[in-house]
Amino acid sequence: MGIHRERLDQIANLAQDMVQQGFSKAAEVAARSQAMNGLWENLLVARTKHREDLETARETQEKIDTMRLEFAKKANPFNNWLEGAREDLLDTFVCHSIDEVNSLVTAHEEFKACLPEFHQIFLDIQQLQQEIDVVATFGSNPYTNLEVDSLGTKWNELLQLIPQRDQLLQVITKPFFTFPL
């Protein structure tokens, strides 16, 4: 770019010399020299804008990439927890003693106590996906194939399994035989 600027300066100096020496077409040469300088300035402005646009696009893509990575770091463990919790709720169990029944009931109550924490994690994942959707207008997440909708479906299925497990635990904690006193 510097070499081109030097050439334009040489042409401008020649045009100025022609004007000073009184050449007949000096005004026309000076006008062309000014037009070339104007085009050069337009080119410099366009180059600067292009560079800024590229930098903005790079920063945006980095932000999207960071957000997608964060989504994967949150969604994958949450999905694993959902699948494990679902399996636990669907497991059949055989209890041979009251202690086993009590430990099963206690474990289920502890599980239900941690649900608000995992619900907040799910809400955080949803919020992050909404933020990604605002910024990223195309492309998929290269870090995970999980989507918020599938996590939402699994979460709702899990919430439906909890009352079923509650009922089952209530049934096994009732005594089978009651003896009149």
Side-chain angles (χ1 to χ4, degrees):
M1 292 295 236
I3 293 172
H4 296 294
R5 181 73 247 170
E6 287 177 21
R7 288 182 186 158
L8 286 173
D9 289 342
Q10 288 173 353
I11 292 170
N13 289 337
L14 289 173
Q16 188 178 4
D17 288 345
M18 291 175 85
V19 168
Q20 287 174 352
Q21 292 178 8
F23 285 104
S24 62
K25 294 190 179 187
E28 187 180 320
V29 171
R32 283 186 181 176
S33 174
Q34 286 177 347
M36 284 192 317
N37 278 330
L39 290 172
W40 178 256
E41 293 303 319
N42 290 343
L43 179 64
L44 291 177
V45 168
R47 183 185 89 170
T48 302
K49 180 171 180 355
H50 181 68
R51 197 176 272 168
E52 290 169 355
D53 290 347
L54 284 174
E55 183 62 23
T56 301
R58 185 190 61 76
E59 289 171 359
T60 301
Q61 192 58 42
E62 282 180 1
K63 180 179 179 180
I64 292 168
D65 192 59
T66 301
M67 291 169 74
R68 285 178 171 165
L69 179 60
E70 183 180 348
F71 177 88
K73 286 180 177 179
K74 288 181 177 184
N76 288 332
F78 181 72
N79 183 59
N80 291 341
W81 176 84
L82 278 174
E83 289 176 356
R86 183 178 182 277
E87 286 177 18
D88 290 345
L89 289 171
L90 290 174
D91 272 350
T92 56
F93 51 87
V94 177
C95 296
H96 299 289
S97 70
I98 298 225
D99 289 338
E100 289 177 349
V101 171
N102 288 338
S103 73
L104 194 59
V105 169
T106 302
H108 185 65
E109 291 303 318
E110 289 172 358
F111 167 75
K112 290 190 325 186
C114 76
L115 283 176
E117 177 186 340
F118 283 96
H119 184 249
Q120 185 58 50
I121 292 170
F122 177 61
L123 293 176
D124 292 345
I125 291 170
Q126 282 182 318
Q127 177 65 34
L128 183 57
Q129 183 60 52
Q130 289 171 354
E131 292 172 13
I132 291 170
D133 290 343
V134 167
V135 180
T137 56
F138 63 91
S140 61
N141 192 333
Y143 301 107
T144 185
N145 56 1
L146 290 173
E147 295 181 4
V148 169
D149 294 340
S150 67
L151 292 175
T153 300
K154 288 179 182 181
W155 176 255
N156 290 331
E157 288 173 2
L158 182 79
L159 293 178
Q160 291 173 0
L161 290 174
I162 293 171
Q164 294 171 9
R165 184 61 147 214
D166 285 336
Q167 270 185 323
L168 187 58
L169 289 173
Q170 285 176 355
V171 167
I172 67 165
T173 56
K174 288 183 182 177
F176 290 102
F177 301 100
T178 53
F179 296 103
L181 297 175

